[in-house]
Amino acid sequence: MTVLPTNMGQRVTGFRPALFLLYVQSLLALSALSIALLIALSELSGHVPAIFLSKGNGPHPLSVLSVCLFSIAILRRSPFKVQTWWRRVLFMVVLTICLMRLAEIFLLNIAPLSHVTMSLYRASAPVPLSMGANTALALGLFTLGALIRPRNSTAAFVVTVLGLVPVSHAMFSYFFGMPGGYGEMSPPTLVLLCLVGLSQLFVFFRTPLLRPFLSETPWGRMARRQAAAATVGVFFLGTVFHGSDDTGMSGALLAAVFWLSLVILLAAGPIFERIERERRSLSREMRRQARQDPLTGLLNRRAVRAYIDNHTVAGGNMETVGVLLADIDHFKRVNDTVGHIVGDSVLSELGKKLQSKLRPSDLVARWGGEEFLILLPGANLEQTMTMAQVLRAAVASHVYWEKDGQKEPVTLSIGAAIYAADGSESLEQAIQKADTALYAAKSQGRNRVLCHNAPGGGAQSKTIADYRPKASALH
């Protein structure tokens, strides 16, 4: 049967922000790789731009090497949980470097790995070069998140977000001039970590925590606005209240406020997504109930009105529409004799039989108590009359009710009319003509089809006696 669109006037929910992040993800990884290679080449050549050393420190070769390997591994990653063997190898190498560097800082009194990699650089550096604990921790968490993503994407997302915490702490500390906050992390290293961290984070756009945030639902749009407001608010607070804090506590406090706001939004996302999903489901069910007759499952009068309005707006996109208005003969006798439950069963079975004989493009609706409207797009008069006789015969042969063990067949009287999309009349007027023909069929003995095809009115008889469709069409 013709299915009327259930989303007329409704905006289709999409994920354009998520698709944008998926595109940006590779761009960020490529940018990080390009900058890291530029830094490495400048160090090897001995011509280091002053901007790389502007804060009295510089990127350590371990940091540059780790970022290069990590960027290659996350470049053009699949949004699905697919991880090739060579990506896993690169992630393991980076994680090993980070763990060894943390061991050098907190467990060992010597730093063999750092000294070996420094030998690749110039013999003497104008400023201290060191891979700080915050850099090793951030890269290690990024890599750990990438490794566990195929097994548990939500846990991997949380680990990746934790890796961004020391990066955001260093960023706020640099922005507000708090040396104790960024430690040994140089500005170029901070830029590289921001690029690879965001690139790794954007891969998780399909996780339950991030998906609601990136959707185009009202909640998703509101959450993105709140995240932007929280970011602006944190920078405003830092600008107004920061002082000469060498310990870095102010930067840590700003980072904590920033991440607390984001964590609340991310945690609330799945809850609001479930509420939004239930709201949409309820809305669809209400629209379906508003369009569908609950007893027969057919469209109701309201849905047909929407079809008529849509057909009128369409400007006559079909040449003709066959209109049939059918009424069950002596239906009151069914209800009075065996009760309304059997009467409801007859209506339901008749609706199924009508549907089974119609084309997918046709429309059938319960028009009134025991009246049914059938619209046949593209059907001419001959085809409309043929279909009317097919429906009448099918119902008489297969739909019945029982009285004292005896089967009582159900018959239909049908009025037919033709709607021509030439502007001479409306589809509503064609339905009125079919109703006039139906009334005439009732008056002339019932269980018959009459066609109202005269321009000036009147009904022309087309009974089974003088109009016989092919026998194969009746079954």
Side-chain angles (χ1 to χ4, degrees), residues 32-33 36 62-72 94 139 189 192-193 196:
L33 178 61
L62 276 180
S63 303
V64 176
L65 176 63
S66 299
V67 169
C68 283
L69 296 178
F70 189 80
S71 300
I72 294 172
V94 175
L139 270 174
T189 304
L192 293 175
L193 291 179
V196 295

Side-chain angles (χ1 to χ4, degrees), residues 363-384:
L363 181 147
V364 57
R366 188 180 178 191
W367 195 242
E370 62 266 22
E371 283 188 345
F372 296 85
L373 176 68
I374 300 100
L375 299 181
L376 310 172
N380 56 29
L381 178 60
E382 189 78 8
Q383 293 167 332
T384 300

Side-chain angles (χ1 to χ4, degrees), residues 377-399:
N380 56 29
L381 178 60
E382 189 78 8
Q383 293 167 332
T384 300
M385 293 300 295
T386 299
M387 179 55 69
Q389 292 289 3
V390 167
L391 297 177
R392 187 197 62 79
V395 170
S397 302
H398 297 90
V399 182

Side-chain angles (χ1 to χ4, degrees), residues 426-449:
S426 66
L427 188 54
E428 186 76 37
Q429 290 172 320
I431 295 175
Q432 290 296 328
K433 288 184 176 182
D435 186 60
T436 302
L438 171 62
Y439 181 79
K442 289 285 189 181
S443 302
Q444 296 182 22
R446 295 180 171 85
N447 190 21
R448 65 187 60 222
V449 178

Side-chain angles (χ1 to χ4, degrees), residues 66 85 138 144-145 176 241 265 274 314 318 403 430 442 463 471:
S66 299
W85 66 269
L144 181 61
F176 298 113
F241 296 108
L265 291 175
R274 185 176 67 254
M318 57 189 69
K403 176 187 176 184
K442 289 285 189 181
T463 64

Side-chain angles (χ1 to χ4, degrees), residues 213-356:
F213 186 82
L214 298 175
S215 69
E216 291 190 26
T217 61
W219 155 251
R221 292 191 293 270
M222 181 186 69
R224 290 192 293 274
R225 294 191 190 102
Q226 289 180 341
T231 304
V232 174
V234 167
F235 277 98
F236 175 77
L237 289 176
T239 303
V240 173
F241 296 108
H242 88 282
S244 56
D245 178 16
D246 291 337
T247 64
M249 290 303 297
S250 297
L253 181 61
L254 291 174
V257 172
F258 174 76
W259 283 109
L260 179 62
S261 302
L262 288 186
V263 166
I264 292 174
L265 291 175
L266 293 174
I271 299 174
F272 280 93
E273 184 186 40
R274 185 176 67 254
I275 295 174
E276 176 67 15
R277 186 165 55 246
E278 292 174 354
R279 184 196 66 81
R280 290 198 302 266
S281 177
L282 180 60
S283 178
R284 285 193 299 268
E285 179 62 20
M286 292 178 64
R287 288 199 299 270
R288 186 192 65 80
Q289 293 180 1
R291 298 169 53 254
Q292 193 174 66
D293 175 59
L295 178 60
T296 63
L298 302 177
L299 298 177
N300 57 20
R301 186 182 286 258
R302 177 181 296 180
V304 175
R305 297 290 183 192
Y307 174 86
I308 294 173
D309 294 340
N310 187 53
H311 184 267
T312 302
V313 172
N317 56 354
M318 57 189 69
E319 188 173 334
T320 59
V321 177
V323 180
L324 300 176
L325 197 59
D327 184 86
I328 302 176
D329 298 327
H330 303 296
F331 184 69
K332 185 175 183 300
R333 178 168 168 262
V334 179
N335 287 329
D336 293 343
T337 304
V338 292
H340 289 277
I341 295 179
V342 176
D344 291 346
S345 177
V346 168
L347 289 172
S348 179
E349 287 299 319
L350 190 144
K352 293 177 182 177
K353 179 55 64 176
L354 292 179
Q355 283 184 313
S356 68

Side-chain angles (χ1 to χ4, degrees), residues 60-62 96-101 104 110-119 131:
H60 191 271
L62 276 180
T96 302
I97 292 175
C98 294
L99 291 176
M100 292 182 66
R101 179 55 187 154
E104 288 180 345
I110 57 174
L113 182 63
S114 298
H115 293 326
V116 169
T117 52
M118 273 301 298
S119 65
M131 184 181 189

Side-chain angles (χ1 to χ4, degrees), residues 134 137-138 141-142 158-172 181 185 190 251-252 255-256 258-260 263:
N134 49 3
L137 179 62
L141 289 173
F142 293 159
V158 173
V159 171
T160 302
V161 170
L162 291 175
L164 287 170
V165 172
V167 177
S168 61
H169 182 197
M171 179 182 66
F172 288 125
M185 185 183 295
L190 175 61
F258 174 76
W259 283 109
L260 179 62
V263 166

